[in-house]
Amino acid sequence: MSFTSLPFSMRPLLIVLLLGSLLHAQQPAAPKPKPPAYLSAEEAGEDFIIQGEYSGMLDGQKIAVQVWAKGKGEFEALGFTGGLPGAGWDENRTSLSRVQGRREAGAKVATFRNENGNATADGSTMQVEANDLRVTLKKETRTSPTLGAKPPGGAVVLFDGQGVNRFPKSQIDEKLHALQEGITSEDTFHDCSLHVEFMLPFMPEARGQGRGNSGLYLQGRYEVQMLDSFALDGKDNECGGLYKIASPRINMCLPPLTWQTYDVDFTAAKYDETGQKLVNAKITVKHNGVLIHENQELPGPTTSAPNKENALPGPVYLQNHGNPVRYRNIWVRPLHRYDENAK
């Protein structure tokens, strides 16, 4: 039936229906709401209490588990032999095991099950039953041994939370006495040692690069990734990674809302008088006091770096990737310059 064959009384109704359908089809999809991000344990909820690190002894051998929250009562547990990463783990990746878990609505305990047994975690202990064995793991709260490190002689203090702030136009989180993301130092550096403390938000419903993302950029060129990759694999785009260059030797990311540290020794790239690069930059990084990169060569700047690679000194840049990451106790100690014949 054609439009012209319809009775006149029906034509206005059909026009209204067609217009409504067209307008609805043209409406853009509503943007997905951002996953919640929490900066304090008080607001983080029940899942945050359960998340964390647990360890104990089994048949004379230390075993450990990291539990990370996936949001809405879902969890994943990662088991280690010998102890936690950086604290006894034998670094045998083939022995790692992952088990899914869940906390039912209103419950205070998460339960994990697989074909070998089950476990329950309540935020204080984890009870494990497997192959007729029973063991109790206690929750640990680790802190970086370099947390609160004092600047040595000759260091330039960039932020101390007590009045020194050499990041122009920066914003301060007054509750945490810490800097907010997206800041660039007014000082620039060549070879240097650097200390920075950072806290990642708790974002249980986020995944990948949307989960507590930021980055430390040496000279505004070379990034050491900051990301909540607690209990993940430790890839080059996760915490401590050098994007598309090198994964950290070990994933030393602690649970979110824990103050963590990077201690970096950086050697700038060397250039001749014409501006031709002679030697690539190099970097050594300790994450929470554990060596994760040693004299790693940096063939070029990170893809999203604000500064191009050249012979000029560069600033400390802490990236804004849309997540509320916080920083404190930032200082840089300039090191000896290379031969002045090479700029």
Side-chain angles (χ1 to χ4, degrees), residues 18-268:
L18 287 172
L19 284 174
S21 298
L22 287 171
L23 288 171
H24 180 74
Q26 291 173 3
Q27 291 296 318
K32 290 184 179 180
K34 283 188 174 183
Y38 307 104
L39 285 172
S40 71
E42 292 74 20
E43 63 181 354
E46 295 290 341
D47 287 357
F48 177 77
I49 295 171
I50 293 170
Q51 177 175 272
E53 299 184 311
Y54 300 79
S55 67
M57 300 297 294
L58 178 63
D59 291 338
Q61 182 184 38
K62 192 167 186 178
I63 61 172
V65 176
Q66 291 182 332
V67 175
W68 68 280
K70 302 170 69 176
K72 299 181 179 178
E74 301 291 334
F75 296 88
E76 184 175 73
L78 174 61
F80 301 87
T81 55
L84 290 164
W89 175 47
D90 58 16
E91 300 188 29
N92 179 5
R93 293 181 181 273
T94 61
S95 68
L96 294 176
S97 58
R98 294 184 180 273
V99 181
Q100 304 306 305
R102 179 167 180 78
R103 180 183 65 83
E104 298 299 335
K108 303 292 185 180
V109 173
T111 301
F112 302 81
R113 290 189 177 90
N114 67 8
E115 65 277 7
N116 297 318
N118 64 80
T120 57
D122 63 6
S124 296
T125 62
M126 174 177 274
Q127 306 292 335
V128 182
E129 298 183 11
N131 300 324
D132 297 325
L133 295 173
R134 290 177 174 80
V135 62
T136 298
L137 309 181
K138 294 184 178 180
K139 192 172 188 180
E140 291 191 28
T141 301
R142 294 195 287 170
T143 57
S144 168
T146 67
L147 203 66
K150 303 296 183 183
V156 179
V157 176
L158 299 182
F159 181 79
D160 66 359
Q162 299 177 356
V164 177
N165 181 3
R166 301 183 68 81
F167 290 90
K169 301 180 181 179
S170 58
Q171 293 184 317
I172 295 178
D173 184 320
E174 297 294 346
K175 289 184 179 180
L176 295 170
H177 305 288
L179 289 170
Q180 298 185 28
E181 66 282 352
I183 52 176
T184 302
S185 69
E186 62 185 29
D187 302 271
T188 58
F189 304 94
H190 282 290
D191 301 351
C192 64
S193 292
L194 175 146
H195 174 87
V196 61
E197 300 175 6
F198 61 98
M199 189 187 79
L200 304 171
F202 180 56
M203 302 181 66
E205 296 178 30
R207 294 292 182 273
Q209 299 300 299
R211 190 176 169 108
N213 195 337
S214 181
L216 164 66
Y217 283 74
L218 282 302
Q219 295 192 323
R221 299 178 179 117
Y222 314 99
E223 181 188 22
V224 183
Q225 174 82 320
M226 293 174 172
L227 188 77
D228 176 16
S229 50
F230 172 65
L232 300 185
D233 295 329
K235 299 178 180 178
D236 64 8
N237 64 345
E238 295 178 352
C239 205
L242 305 175
Y243 187 58
K244 292 189 176 180
I245 297 174
S247 300
R249 182 183 65 82
I250 185 172
N251 179 9
M252 277 305 301
C253 189
L254 295 176
L257 303 190
T258 304
W259 281 102
Q260 307 191 52
T261 60
Y262 280 155
D263 291 279
V264 179
D265 290 327
F266 173 74
T267 304

Side-chain angles (χ1 to χ4, degrees), residues 269-333:
K270 297 177 176 60
Y271 293 79
D272 64 17
E273 293 179 351
T274 69
Q276 182 72 27
K277 185 164 73 169
L278 302 175
V279 181
N280 285 328
K282 289 185 178 181
I283 194 169
T284 293
V285 183
K286 289 183 178 179
H287 185 186
N288 294 321
V290 176
L291 184 69
I292 60 170
H293 299 289
E294 186 171 18
N295 290 325
Q296 174 64 52
E297 196 166 303
L298 304 171
T302 306
T303 305
S304 57
N307 290 356
K308 294 182 179 180
E309 196 176 42
N310 55 44
L312 297 174
V316 175
Y317 169 61
L318 293 163
Q319 182 190 40
N320 181 354
H321 206 281
N323 299 151
V325 179
R326 300 294 182 258
Y327 323 90
R328 70 182 190 189
N329 193 18
I330 309 169
W331 49 259
V332 179
R333 182 169 66 92

